[in-house]
Amino acid sequence: MNIIKEYYEKKYSKLCVLADTEKCKTTLMRNNDTGQLVVKKVMNKAAFSVYEQLKLIENKNLVKIFDCYMDDDKCIEIEDFINGRRLDDYITNQKLNYNQCIQLTVDICIALEELHKVGIVHRDIQPKNILISNEGTLKLIDFDISRKQHAGQAKDTELLGTAGYAAPEQYGFSQTSDKSDIYSIGIVLKEMCQKSNVSADEKLKDIINKCTQMDPDNRFQNVKQLKDTLLQCRHLEEENNAHISDSANGANKNQIMDRAEKLPPITFRYVVKTIPGFRSGNFLYAMFAILMYGTIIFAFGRTPFNKEYVNVSMYNKVVASALYVTSFIIPYMYLTNIADIARRFPKKTFKNRWLGYVYQIFAGGIWLLVIITLILLILR
C-alpha cells in the first residue's frame, strides 16, 4: 500500500460522500486526533501540479489546501471544510446592496491575485464555486479544472468550463489566461446585481462590459486593475450616500447604521480565526503563535511585579499588569484587524489621506498616554 495513503487513511475517518461525479469524488472527513472537519477530493492526476502549488498559498479568500499526493493515476487532495453557503444560495437568501456586490467581487479578485501570481488560471469562476463562510468571509473553492499557463501554446488541450460563465477562449479559440477569469468575474458581478435588484450605475456597467469583452485584449489587464477600479466605484457610491440630505429629513441613527457595511457577529470562534497565527488553521502555526503571544503577554504583565514596586499593594499590581497587557493588545488588534475591529469603529473621513494617518497616530498616542498615566498613578 502507498505509505502516504496509509498515513492519511489512519489520520482521517470518512463521514459521508458530498459529491461523486465523473471528474471528482468529494468526501467529508474528520481528523481522528483533533476532530477537525476536512474535505477529501479524488481527481485526475493532471490536477496534482496545481494543488501542489496551492497548498503553499495562504490567503483568507482561498480555501486552505492541507496536502495532496498521488495514488496510482489519481490525485488525492485534503482541504479545509468551509461551513457556509454557496454564493448563489447566499444571494437568494440575503439581498445584497450596491457596496456588498462590489466588496464580494473585490474579494474574488484578492483570491485570484494569488493564483495568477504563480501562473494558475481557475477557469471555473461561478457562484457554485464561491462560498460565504458563517463568519462572512468569501472563499474561492474547486480548482479541479484549473491549469498552469504555458508560454507559446496556441490554445488549451481540453475545452472545460461552465457554460454562461466560461470565457469564449475556453471553447478552443485561444489559450486561457488570467483574463479568462476576469471574464467570469464580470458575469458573476452582473448576476449578483440582477438577483439582488441592485441598479448598476454607468460606472459599474462599464466595469461589467469591460470584463466581458469577447477579445481578451480589451478586458482589464489583470485582476489588480479590476480590483482597484471596483474600489474607486465603491468610494464614489459611499460619497454619494454621504451627501444625501439626511439632515434635512431628520435621518435617525438607525438609517445611518443601515448604510454601514454589515459585519459578522463577534463570537469566540470568529475572533480566534482572525488572530494572526490561527487564520490558516495550521496546527504548527497555532502552537508557535500561542508560544509567542504567551511570551509577550508575560513580558508585559510581569513588569509591575518587579522588586522596585515591592511597596505597591497586590491589587494595584494586578490592575497595572492588566493595563500593561492592554497597552499591547488593543493596538495589535487594530493593526492586524482582529475580528475586523478596524472596520467596526466609526470612520472619520479626510480629504487628504495623510491627514487621516496623522489623526490615527494622534488618537493612538492619546490612548497610550492615558494608559501609561494610569499605570504610573497606580504604581507610585
Side-chain angles (χ1 to χ4, degrees):
M1 178 185 282
N2 185 321
I3 296 175
I4 299 176
K5 179 182 178 181
E6 186 178 5
Y7 166 77
Y8 281 107
E9 286 186 350
K10 288 181 179 179
K11 185 175 181 178
Y12 298 103
S13 296
K14 177 180 174 181
L15 296 181
C16 64
V17 174
L18 299 176
D20 191 358
T21 66
E22 184 180 344
K23 293 176 182 175
C24 178
K25 181 176 180 179
T26 306
T27 308
L28 181 64
M29 313 285 286
R30 185 189 300 278
N31 187 312
N32 293 324
D33 296 324
T34 66
Q36 180 184 12
L37 296 178
V38 299
V39 172
K40 174 185 175 183
K41 303 180 87 171
V42 181
M43 301 162 285
N44 186 285
K45 63 182 180 181
F48 181 75
S49 61
V50 169
Y51 278 99
E52 266 286 280
Q53 280 200 287
L54 286 172
K55 73 179 185 180
L56 302 176
I57 298 176
E58 296 282 347
N59 185 283
K60 69 172 185 175
N61 297 122
L62 287 172
V63 63
K64 174 62 182 172
I65 310 300
F66 294 126
D67 213 340
C68 64
Y69 60 94
M70 292 295 297
D71 180 28
D72 295 330
D73 62 341
K74 295 293 184 181
C75 169
I76 314 297
E77 178 259 341
I78 309 292
E79 66 183 46
D80 190 20
F81 171 71
I82 308 299
N83 195 0
R85 289 178 287 174
R86 298 187 314 191
L87 182 61
D88 47 355
D89 296 329
Y90 185 77
I91 297 170
T92 302
N93 295 314
Q94 179 175 325
K95 296 299 182 183
L96 306 177
N97 60 36
Y98 182 96
N99 279 337
Q100 288 172 327
C101 289
I102 291 177
Q103 184 57 55
L104 288 173
T105 312
V106 166
D107 290 342
I108 299 171
C109 291
I110 291 172
L112 286 173
E113 273 189 283
E114 295 294 334
L115 297 186
H116 294 171
K117 281 178 186 176
V118 294
I120 296 175
V121 185
H122 190 282
R123 295 206 300 173
D124 201 15
I125 302 295
Q126 56 159 316
K128 291 182 179 180
N129 291 337
I130 299 167
L131 293 179
I132 309 298
S133 73
N134 289 345
E135 289 77 28
T137 303
L138 179 142
K139 299 281 186 180
L140 184 60
I141 63 169
D142 282 350
F143 309 95
D144 308 351
I145 66 168
S146 299
R147 68 183 291 273
K148 296 273 291 180
Q149 293 186 61
H150 301 287
Q153 186 170 302
K155 59 185 180 179
D156 293 357
T157 54
E158 290 184 276
L159 309 183
L160 296 171
T162 301
Y165 298 96
E169 57 268 27
Q170 289 182 235
Y171 296 101
F173 295 104
S174 61
Q175 183 185 185
T176 51
S177 68
D178 51 0
K179 293 179 183 178
S180 305
D181 286 339
I182 288 174
Y183 180 95
S184 302
I185 291 174
I187 300 296
V188 170
L189 174 57
K190 182 179 180 181
E191 187 174 319
M192 280 196 289
C193 291
Q194 289 176 341
K195 288 191 174 181
S196 299
N197 294 320
V198 169
S199 179
D201 56 18
E202 289 304 314
K203 182 74 174 176
L204 197 54
K205 287 178 182 177
D206 288 343
I207 290 174
I208 294 171
N209 183 55
K210 188 168 183 177
C211 285
T212 54
Q213 289 291 304
M214 290 289 290
D215 186 347
D217 291 337
N218 293 333
R219 299 172 200 158
F220 288 95
Q221 295 305 299
N222 50 60
V223 288
K224 184 181 185 306
Q225 187 183 80
L226 169 57
K227 180 187 72 176
D228 292 343
T229 306
L230 284 164
L231 289 172
Q232 291 172 9
C233 192
R234 183 181 67 176
H235 177 69
L236 289 172
E237 174 67 9
E238 288 172 346
E239 277 193 352
N240 289 337
N241 283 345
H243 287 87
I244 294 176
S245 55
D246 287 334
S247 56
N249 297 322
N252 59 35
K253 184 177 179 181
N254 291 332
Q255 289 173 316
I256 295 171
M257 288 296 291
D258 286 341
R259 284 202 211 108
E261 181 183 0
K262 291 183 179 179
L263 293 168
I266 298 178
T267 61
F268 177 76
R269 184 183 177 196
Y270 172 53
V271 171
V272 170
K273 290 196 74 172
T274 57
I275 298 174
F278 295 87
R279 292 172 177 172
S280 66
N282 186 297
F283 179 76
L284 291 178
Y285 291 171
M287 288 298 98
F288 178 77
I290 290 172
L291 180 63
M292 183 186 73
Y293 293 140
T295 302
I296 293 173
I297 291 172
F298 176 75
F300 274 82
R302 70 184 294 273
T303 304
F305 297 94
N306 292 340
K307 292 180 180 179
E308 58 187 291
Y309 301 115
V310 67
N311 296 323
V312 177
S313 70
M314 182 55 68
Y315 173 80
N316 284 6
K317 286 180 180 180
V318 171
V319 173
S321 176
L323 288 172
Y324 266 109
V325 174
T326 302
S327 69
F328 159 73
I329 290 177
I330 298 293
Y332 185 75
M333 286 182 66
Y334 186 83
L335 291 172
T336 57
N337 200 26
I338 294 173
D340 289 311
I341 192 170
R343 295 158 63 193
R344 294 179 188 274
F345 283 109
K347 289 183 171 62
K348 189 172 180 63
T349 56
F350 295 89
K351 290 183 179 179
N352 187 318
R353 63 173 181 167
W354 293 106
L355 287 176
Y357 295 149
V358 171
Y359 170 78
Q360 288 181 328
I361 293 170
F362 178 76
I366 292 295
W367 166 255
L368 289 176
L369 184 62
V370 169
I371 290 181
I372 292 169
T373 303
L374 286 172
I375 291 172
L376 293 174
L377 288 173
I378 291 170
L379 295 177
R380 68 177 182 178

